Amino acid sequence: MTWFLLLCAHLIGIVGYTLLLRKSALGQLNKLLMAALMQTGIFLPSIIFLVLGKVEFIHSPQEWFFLILGGCMLAGLMITNVLALTHLDASVFTIIFNLRLLVTTILGYFVLGELPKPLQIAGGLIILVSIVMLNLHQNNQWRSKSILVGVLAMLWFSFHAVLEKYNLQHIGFESYFFTFSLIGTVIIWLIVLAQKVKIREQLRHIHDKKIYALLVTRSLSAYSYIYALGYGSLAVTNYVSGMSVALIVLFGIYALGEKAQIKQKLIAVGIACFGLAIILISKLIS
């Protein structure tokens, strides 16, 4: 029940975050600064863990290595997500991003030894079909920069998710979350400074209330997802997370007015939901 409730909270967060990010990415706020602000919004609540004395800093060299690597991956994840949604509409990005279901299944097996059920693998393959339904292969569209950025964001998340699950198996949640999010926050702000982003000039855009909603939904999505990883396998947790594809595509069409190739998108959504339904059925009967 706890796992289910955490994933429900994650779905609410990720759907709201993706749609809000799409709107914000179309604005004038610097995309790198936006990524830094989102990461800061994720880190700040974790200070509570430090105040309550639940954060430990005594780790083995190997654990520190993977914590630092996790922080670097987190910073890159924030940047690639913002760049992808800058170049792609919410529905296309979401369907491409859900290739992570298959990739995390493969990585989870080889890296973590988590063997998915045959039905779960079948569901992942069906989701692949939904991507073909977007006709990205026509007119070399699949070679475009926007599609490649979306694929990069998906692959980056997949490797980050495997590393995250690995770290949670060796370090307590509070210590892990505070430390790796602090490292990620410092790294991304250093990149902002290195790129000489004119922060003061950008501050006028922060008054947009969508930015604050973006920070809240991103934090809700991150905390509930990582907590859920502690209760379930990497693959199955990502499968349920993938249910966001239908919600985001539908809201992207009707709320954001992203109606290009609407028929193909709706068919792709239907196929993706069918694949996810098979995965969930496999979970229920296991």
Side-chain angles (χ1 to χ4, degrees):
M1 178 59 73
T2 301
W3 178 76
F4 175 76
L5 292 176
L6 286 170
L7 283 175
C8 286
H10 166 67
L11 286 174
I12 293 173
I14 196 172
V15 171
Y17 154 71
T18 303
L19 296 175
L20 286 167
L21 181 57
R22 177 57 185 165
K23 280 191 173 183
S24 298
L26 295 175
Q28 298 179 354
L29 182 65
N30 179 275
K31 304 307 178 290
L32 187 57
L33 179 59
M34 182 188 296
L37 290 172
M38 286 191 295
Q39 176 51 37
T40 303
I42 292 175
F43 165 69
L44 289 178
S46 70
I47 296 177
I48 297 175
F49 300 148
L50 181 65
V51 174
L52 295 177
K54 294 188 175 183
V55 178
E56 297 180 358
F57 295 100
I58 300 176
H59 304 295
S60 67
Q62 178 177 320
E63 290 172 341
W64 272 114
F65 171 78
F66 284 111
L67 274 172
I68 294 172
L69 180 59
C72 295
M73 292 292 291
L74 177 62
L77 177 66
M78 303 302 294
I79 295 172
T80 54
N81 267 271
V82 170
L83 289 176
L85 279 170
T86 300
H87 293 88
L88 291 169
D89 70 38
S91 41
V92 174
F93 169 72
T94 303
I95 295 176
I96 292 177
F97 192 65
N98 270 276
L99 270 171
R100 66 192 167 96
L101 304 181
L102 184 60
V103 176
T104 53
T105 297
I106 296 172
L107 292 175
Y109 172 67
F110 285 105
V111 178
L112 303 174
E114 295 182 351
L115 182 64
K117 307 293 184 183
L119 278 178
Q120 295 171 349
I121 297 176
L125 292 175
I126 291 174
I127 291 173
L128 283 176
V129 175
S130 72
I131 296 183
V132 177
M133 295 302 299
L134 290 173
N135 291 329
L136 300 179
H137 60 285
Q138 293 183 358
N139 301 321
N140 292 323
Q141 185 181 358
W142 63 274
R143 294 181 180 179
S144 67
K145 178 182 177 181
S146 58
I147 298 300
L148 292 178
V149 170
V151 172
L152 173 63
M154 177 274 299
L155 290 173
W156 197 287
F157 175 88
S158 299
F159 283 99
H160 169 71
V162 173
L163 179 60
E164 200 157 54
K165 178 69 174 183
Y166 174 85
N167 280 328
L168 285 171
Q169 290 177 340
H170 295 82
I171 303 172
F173 173 84
E174 292 83 1
S175 295
Y176 164 70
F177 200 103
F178 175 83
T179 308
F180 101 108
S181 60
L182 173 60
I183 294 171
T185 302
V186 171
I187 290 174
I188 199 168
W189 276 109
L190 288 175
I191 295 174
V192 170
L193 295 175
Q195 293 296 315
K196 298 181 179 179
V197 176
K198 297 179 180 179
I199 299 176
R200 287 188 177 182
E201 293 183 6
Q202 293 288 321
L203 288 179
R204 65 181 183 274
H205 302 300
I206 307 300
H207 296 297
D208 187 345
K209 293 182 179 180
K210 289 194 295 291
I211 299 299
Y212 300 110
L214 187 66
L215 295 175
V216 172
T217 52
R218 183 65 185 93
S219 296
L220 176 63
S221 172
Y223 279 84
S224 54
Y225 172 79
I226 296 177
Y227 262 122
L229 278 179
Y231 289 91
S233 72
L234 172 67
V236 178
T237 298
N238 275 282
Y239 295 154
V240 179
S241 173
M243 288 298 294
S244 61
V245 62
L247 297 173
I248 293 172
V249 169
L250 291 177
F251 278 108
I253 292 172
Y254 297 107
L256 302 182
E258 297 174 344
K259 297 184 179 180
Q261 295 182 317
I262 185 170
K263 181 177 179 180
Q264 289 141 315
K265 289 178 182 177
L266 291 175
I267 294 175
V269 169
I271 294 175
C273 287
F274 177 65
L276 288 166
I278 290 178
I279 291 166
L280 291 176
I281 290 172
S282 174
K283 174 68 175 176
L284 291 174
I285 63 178
S286 62

